Amino acid sequence: MTFRYPNGKKFVQKRSPSASKNVKKDERFSNRGMTLEEDINETNEYYLAHNIAVIHKKPTPLQIVNVHYPARSAAVVTEAYFKKPSTTDYNGVYKGKYIDFEAKETKNKTSFPLKNFHDHQISHMKQVVQQGGISFALLRFTLVDELYLVFSKDLFSYVENKDINRKSIPKKDIESFGTKIELGFHPRVDYLKIIDKII
Amino acid sequence: MTFRYPNGKKFVQKRSPSASKNVKKDERFSNRGMTLEEDINETNEYYLAHNIAVIHKKPTPLQIVNVHYPARSAAVVTEAYFKKPSTTDYNGVYKGKYIDFEAKETKNKTSFPLKNFHDHQISHMKQVVQQGGISFALLRFTLVDELYLVFSKDLFSYVENKDINRKSIPKKDIESFGTKIELGFHPRVDYLKIIDKII
């Protein structure tokens, strides 16, 4: 199930672990059809199952307007609207440290569009850095299937200037200050390996 | 807007900060009608505004079944169901430390019912403790308006035995190993003052 928010951001319903077990995977092309969110969710489930870290995706924020209570069955939300998240999508704890990140994909080849980050998220990332949390973004270039971890401090200067002279971060800059994450099997996107180098 | 989950847990729609500004408060009875969730949200907004901590309530998890896309207006969720949260409701960062807690109220006078904690939440609290995060519960006895911070490690033995011989935690035990939080003005429930003593 996939649709887009009014702001164009893609919404992907999280598959339940039991559902994903029933999906037959083509081992030769194991990333076919896997979104970045699915890869991260699988990775977080791996971290959790192996007592490595406790990191979850936050639920999609909805403004609930109407709820119906049928007799003898569960309450049904009959009217609700998507809200812009006021924080990043993922957070949790690793070795006592606060971990906080956002994941974004682009089909662009040579740059990452800054419109993918909205103001609330950037404010949140700054607040996390100020509190001594570990804040970063996972950025995937889907057409070449390359994933980078970029620490938030390296993003701020680009985002602050976005109304003046930049609409995107050149891919060569991301290659320079980011760290490439190779796709693995278990876990699929082992981003904590990079965090280990800074804690 | 208030209703109950199928499991009896109360759902309270978070008021937006702008809406709460328009609410006239009776200063003599300033806690009248304030739920624990509202008190905590105000406290977290205070912490955020004063650069003390970055702690947010997670959105209510919903299973989205149907979405309608009217022409020229925002997508509407027309069918969704409440899901049991797989984690606690609140988390964030304070002085670099991972903070994670659940807030519960009871109308009981002499004990706190354990059915208020469901298994997923207890598992999550254990995982957080194991990762070195700071995990606790804020428990309010609404009829006497007393609020306690109880660290998760003190809850586990009660919860593990709940099927055998306990259905609740005696209030005198909570008074003994918990720390009472007096209601303040700004912030309303200053729980981080207690966390300061252990970090």
Side-chain angles (χ1 to χ4, degrees):
Chain A
M1 173 183 181
T2 302
F3 55 84
R4 287 184 180 277
Y5 288 90
N7 67 359
K9 189 183 168 187
K10 195 159 75 174
F11 171 83
V12 181
Q13 180 81 23
K14 186 182 180 301
R15 301 183 312 175
S16 68
S18 58
S20 65
K21 276 177 200 152
N22 298 326
V23 173
K24 279 213 177 137
K25 279 175 198 152
D26 185 331
E27 296 287 334
R28 288 168 306 161
F29 303 99
S30 55
N31 195 41
R32 183 178 278 178
M34 294 287 274
T35 64
L36 179 55
E37 177 174 330
E38 288 170 326
D39 281 343
I40 293 170
N41 287 341
E42 277 203 356
T43 300
N44 289 341
E45 283 168 23
Y46 177 91
Y47 288 154
L48 191 64
H50 292 76
N51 298 320
I52 295 168
V54 183
I55 296 166
H56 290 275
K57 183 174 190 295
K58 293 187 181 177
T60 305
L62 289 171
Q63 182 72 39
I64 297 167
V65 177
N66 264 312
V67 182
H68 177 59
Y69 303 87
R72 277 182 286 277
S73 56
V76 193
V77 174
T78 55
E79 185 183 358
Y81 298 89
F82 294 97
K83 292 197 291 187
K84 271 194 185 176
S86 53
T87 66
T88 46
D89 274 356
Y90 301 87
N91 74 354
V93 57
Y94 175 55
K95 296 180 180 172
K97 305 282 185 186
Y98 178 73
I99 302 287
D100 189 296
F101 65 96
E102 185 61 35
K104 307 275 192 196
E105 292 180 293
T106 184
K107 287 185 174 168
N108 285 20
K109 285 179 182 173
T110 57
S111 66
F112 210 95
L114 288 170
K115 66 172 165 48
N116 284 356
F117 291 90
H118 59 71
D119 294 346
H120 277 154
Q121 289 182 322
I122 297 297
S123 303
H124 175 74
M125 289 159 86
K126 285 182 183 169
Q127 288 157 347
V128 168
V129 169
Q130 196 180 359
Q131 272 303 318
I134 296 170
S135 174
F136 57 90
L138 296 180
L139 305 180
R140 177 178 276 169
F141 292 90
T142 55
L143 290 184
V144 289
D145 202 11
E146 289 181 20
L147 177 65
Y148 294 87
L149 185 150
V150 175
F151 286 104
S152 299
K153 64 174 175 46
D154 293 322
L155 289 177
F156 294 152
S157 65
Y158 291 88
V159 178
E160 275 160 9
N161 293 326
K162 75 176 168 183
D163 296 327
I164 303 168
N165 53 7
R166 288 185 195 271
K167 293 268 184 288
S168 63
I169 311 173
K171 182 162 184 279
K172 65 175 171 43
D173 292 10
I174 291 174
E175 289 166 0
S176 151
F177 55 60
T179 306
K180 196 170 176 179
I181 301 176
E182 298 297 340
L183 193 70
F185 187 60
H186 280 307
R188 294 186 66 79
V189 288
D190 193 4
Y191 57 88
L192 289 179
K193 206 160 60 178
I194 299 161
I195 302 307
D196 277 331
K197 291 176 190 161
I198 63 152
I199 59 174
Chain B
M1 172 184 183
T2 302
F3 56 87
R4 289 185 179 276
Y5 287 89
N7 66 0
K9 188 182 168 185
K10 196 160 76 174
F11 172 84
V12 181
Q13 180 81 24
K14 187 185 181 299
R15 302 182 314 176
S16 68
S18 57
S20 64
K21 276 178 198 152
N22 298 325
V23 174
K24 277 210 178 141
K25 281 175 200 152
D26 183 333
E27 297 286 335
R28 288 169 304 163
F29 303 99
S30 55
N31 196 39
R32 183 176 279 179
M34 294 288 273
T35 64
L36 179 56
E37 177 173 331
E38 288 171 326
D39 282 343
I40 293 169
N41 287 341
E42 277 203 357
T43 301
N44 288 342
E45 284 169 20
Y46 177 91
Y47 288 153
L48 191 64
H50 292 76
N51 297 320
I52 295 168
V54 183
I55 297 165
H56 290 275
K57 182 174 188 297
K58 294 186 181 178
T60 303
L62 290 171
Q63 182 72 39
I64 297 167
V65 176
N66 263 313
V67 183
H68 177 59
Y69 302 87
R72 276 181 290 276
S73 55
V76 193
V77 175
T78 54
E79 185 183 357
Y81 298 90
F82 293 98
K83 292 197 291 188
K84 271 195 184 174
S86 53
T87 66
T88 48
D89 274 357
Y90 301 87
N91 74 355
V93 57
Y94 175 54
K95 295 181 179 172
K97 305 282 184 188
Y98 178 72
I99 302 287
D100 189 294
F101 65 98
E102 184 60 36
K104 306 276 192 195
E105 293 178 294
T106 185
K107 286 184 175 168
N108 285 20
K109 284 178 181 173
T110 57
S111 66
F112 209 95
L114 287 171
K115 65 173 166 47
N116 285 356
F117 291 91
H118 59 73
D119 295 344
H120 276 155
Q121 288 181 323
I122 298 296
S123 303
H124 175 73
M125 290 159 87
K126 285 182 184 170
Q127 289 158 345
V128 168
V129 169
Q130 196 180 359
Q131 271 304 317
I134 295 169
S135 174
F136 56 91
L138 296 180
L139 305 180
R140 177 177 276 170
F141 292 90
T142 54
L143 290 183
V144 290
D145 203 10
E146 290 180 21
L147 177 66
Y148 295 87
L149 185 150
V150 175
F151 286 103
S152 299
K153 65 175 173 46
D154 294 322
L155 290 178
F156 294 151
S157 64
Y158 291 89
V159 178
E160 275 159 9
N161 294 326
K162 75 177 169 183
D163 296 327
I164 305 168
N165 52 6
R166 288 182 194 273
K167 291 271 185 286
S168 62
I169 310 173
K171 181 162 184 278
K172 64 174 172 41
D173 291 10
I174 291 174
E175 289 166 0
S176 151
F177 54 58
T179 305
K180 196 169 176 180
I181 302 176
E182 299 296 341
L183 194 71
F185 187 60
H186 280 307
R188 294 187 65 80
V189 289
D190 193 4
Y191 58 88
L192 288 179
K193 206 160 59 180
I194 298 161
I195 303 305
D196 278 331
K197 291 174 191 163
I198 63 151
I199 59 174

